[in-house]
């Protein structure tokens, strides 16, 4: 018989072996394989089915291997006693037809065993049959009252790995401790004394097989509550709909002008706490809004690259100065006489404008990064510009020449103001510091430290003695310019402060991310919302 036929006979035997072994594995999957469990499995009547499947599966596997190896060929091709010569004498097998028939019957037995296993009488054959459903916990001995005892305090049978009863039990959960105690139950004479806090001690030896453990009670938890939400800010329909990034107080102290990232320029009445009018709208974020010295007009600028001269009376546009390809206007400053304006742009350009003749005087280059602050000296002849890389440049306004350049801060410069004498300038920065510079020697004279975020804006009081700063850390601070000491700190608790200005009465006015404009007392303390933001 050729080898192909032998291997074909091995296939049904292998399939039968796999089916029987898989069935045996499923029947033994939930068995206890400790020493006591193995002894019970070997002697208990409920293990007859897995033993049968293991035996038949093993024999089928053996037969499949023998057929595959060609050790169980069929009957001889010639009658017994026929003389053989040459190649026939070399390859003729003696044959094992008896073994062959026996192994070929094994797949039939395996199929019969598998079919029989699916009948109910095979699974529930009597008291000794295996119970497939989960076993119920064994009842507690009589005389022990377990009513109201938490599952984790009830005493089950102790497995070898469990701690002895002398080990202190787990503490009673808070919800159980809050209940009134159960009445004491009489202890049977034969029962051992109960350990402290043990609810039940078994009076009889533990059963042979431990019942399945009860569901574990989750441990007590302590959950930290969320902090209370901040109180809702008041709103008004006329307020800004986005962050307030610039504030300017009029010379007579009656009005405030604000610029916002909502593109709007607004004029407010301080005493009446009302909106006078919307002065205008930029095509992009509004950055700066300044009162002109004539008290009748204002100059506003924004990311749309336009500097707009407007009438305060009705917001009418008188002239538009366009930066063209020089980019959006990040900051704007006006000379005290109102004849010159200096603008800093996101392309790094600094432009000097002739406001009288409505023309461009100079487009000054030198910064490699966008401009983040500009300032003009009190006499209008000098200008300072700072960029987001911390570089500071000093310019001659009339000639457009660069007089000095130095790296003033480790991060960008976001605020700059000249002192009244014109020989000093104060700068704030993303490195959280404020510095006072001597413009004759270009040396740092004093440093103001305390902010925990970028110092975004600066303002000097009318007498030149106090410096105000606003920061992304959400605070505004007052400083003594002569000593560098902090006078007061105002915490908005509502996000970054982008704009600060001194009112004529010495109080500090701020604007920030919360869309509001606030007034803070000069001596420190809580601020008052002058103008609320619009509903979001």
């Amino acid at each position: 018989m050729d080898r192909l036929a032998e291997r074909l006979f091995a296939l049904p035997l292998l399939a039968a072996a796999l089916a029987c072994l898989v069935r045996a594995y499923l029947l033994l999957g939930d068995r206890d394989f400790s020493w006591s469990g193995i002894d019970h499995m070997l002697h208990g009547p409920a293990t007859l089915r897995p033993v049968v499947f293991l035996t038949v599966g093993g024999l089928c596997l053996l037969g499949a291997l023998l057929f595959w190896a060609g050790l169980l060929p069929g009957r001889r091709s010639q009658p017994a006693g026929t003389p053989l010569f040459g190649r026939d004498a070399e390859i003729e097998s003696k044959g094992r037809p008896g073994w062959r028939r026996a192994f070929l019957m094994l797949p039939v037995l395996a199929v019969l065993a598998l079919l029989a296993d699916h009948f109910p009488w095979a699974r529930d054959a009597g008291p000794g049959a295996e119970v497939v459903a989960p076993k119920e916990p064994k009842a507690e001995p009589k005389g022990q009252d377990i009513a109201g005892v938490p599952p984790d305090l009830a005493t089950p049978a102790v497995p070898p790995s469990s701690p002895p009863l002398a080990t202190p039990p787990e503490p009673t959960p808070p919800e159980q401790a809050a209940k009134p105690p159960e009445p004491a139950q009489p202890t049977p004479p034969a029962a051992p004394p109960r350990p402290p806090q043990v609810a039940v001690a078994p009076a009889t030896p533990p059963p042979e097989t431990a019942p399945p453990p009860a569901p574990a009670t989750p441990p007590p938890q302590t959950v930290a509550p969320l902090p209370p939400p901040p109180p809702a800010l008041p709103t008004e329909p006329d307020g800004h709909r986005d962050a307030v990034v610039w504030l300017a107080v009029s010379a007579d102290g009656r009005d405030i002008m604000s610029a916002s990232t909502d593109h709007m320029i607004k004029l407010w009445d301080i005493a009446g706490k009302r909106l006078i009018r919307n002065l205008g709208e930029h095509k992009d974020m509004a950055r700066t809004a300044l009162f002109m010295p004539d008290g009748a007009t204002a100059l506003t600028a924004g990311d749309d690259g336009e500097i707009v001269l407007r009438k305060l009376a009705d917001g009418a546009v008188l002239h538009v100065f366009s930066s063209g390809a020089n980019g959006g206007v990040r900051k704007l400053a006006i000379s005290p006489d109102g004849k010159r304006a200096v603008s800093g742009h996101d392309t790094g350009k600094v432009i000097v404008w002739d406001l009288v003749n409505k023309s461009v005087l100079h487009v000054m280059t030198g910064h490699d990064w966008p401009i983040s602050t500009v300032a003009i000296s009190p006499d209008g002849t000098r200008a300072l510009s700072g960029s987001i890389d911390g570089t500071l440049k000093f310019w001659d306004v009339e000639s457009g020449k660069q007089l000095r350049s130095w790296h003033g801060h480790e991060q960008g410069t976001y605020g700059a103001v000249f002192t009244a004498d014109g020989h000093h300038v104060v700068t704030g920065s993303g490195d959280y510091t404020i510095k006072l510079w001597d413009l004759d020697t270009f040396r740092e004279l004093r440093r103001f430290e305390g902010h925990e975020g970028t110092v975004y804006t600066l303002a000097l009081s009318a007498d030149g003695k106090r410096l105000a700063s606003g920061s992304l850390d959400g605070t505004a601070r007052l400083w003594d310019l002569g000593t560098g000491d902090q006078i007061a700190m105002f915490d908005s608790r509502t996000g970054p402060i982008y704009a600060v200005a001194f009112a004529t009465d010495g109080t500090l006015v701020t604007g920030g991310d919360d869309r509001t404009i606030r007034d803070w007392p000069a001596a420190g303390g809580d601020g008052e919302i002058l103008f609320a933001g619009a509903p979001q």
Side-chain angles (χ1 to χ4, degrees), residues 25 27-42 47 130 135 159-160 207-211:
Y25 172 78
L27 291 173
L28 294 173
D30 59 348
R31 294 289 180 180
D32 178 14
F33 287 97
S34 62
W35 287 113
S36 59
I38 293 174
D39 180 71
H40 179 74
M41 187 169 61
L42 292 176
T47 59
E130 180 183 5
K135 292 179 288 184
E208 184 176 349
T209 302

Side-chain angles (χ1 to χ4, degrees), residues 320-402:
V320 175
F321 302 85
S322 177
S323 62
N326 293 294
V329 183
R330 292 296 183 90
K331 285 294 185 289
L332 180 68
I334 303 174
S335 63
D337 59 10
K339 295 180 179 180
R340 300 288 185 261
V342 177
S343 58
H345 299 262
D346 55 17
T347 58
K349 305 294 193 304
V350 178
I351 301 177
V352 179
W353 305 88
D354 185 340
L355 299 181
V356 176
N357 299 315
K358 309 296 190 292
S359 63
V360 177
L361 284 182
H362 309 289
V363 177
M364 302 179 294
T365 61
H367 284 288
D368 298 324
W369 295 89
I371 305 300
S372 49
T373 188
V374 293
I376 293 182
S377 63
D379 61 5
T381 62
R382 300 289 188 265
L384 183 83
S385 61
S387 69
I388 63 173
D389 65 349
T391 300
L392 297 170
K393 293 184 181 294
F394 197 44
W395 307 91
D396 184 281
V397 173
E398 295 303 319
S399 67
K401 292 182 179 179
Q402 178 179 299

Side-chain angles (χ1 to χ4, degrees), residues 481-497:
L481 190 63
T483 64
D485 295 334
Q486 180 176 295
I487 300 172
M489 182 184 73
F490 312 106
D491 190 351
S492 69
R493 299 184 180 87
T494 54
I497 292 178

Side-chain angles (χ1 to χ4, degrees), residues 163-219:
L165 289 178
T167 303
E170 298 181 11
T172 305
E175 61 270 18
Q176 293 294 333
K179 295 181 179 180
E182 295 289 335
Q185 301 297 327
T187 304
R194 296 184 180 183
Q197 299 184 10
V198 175
V200 177
T204 58
E208 184 176 349
T209 302
T217 301

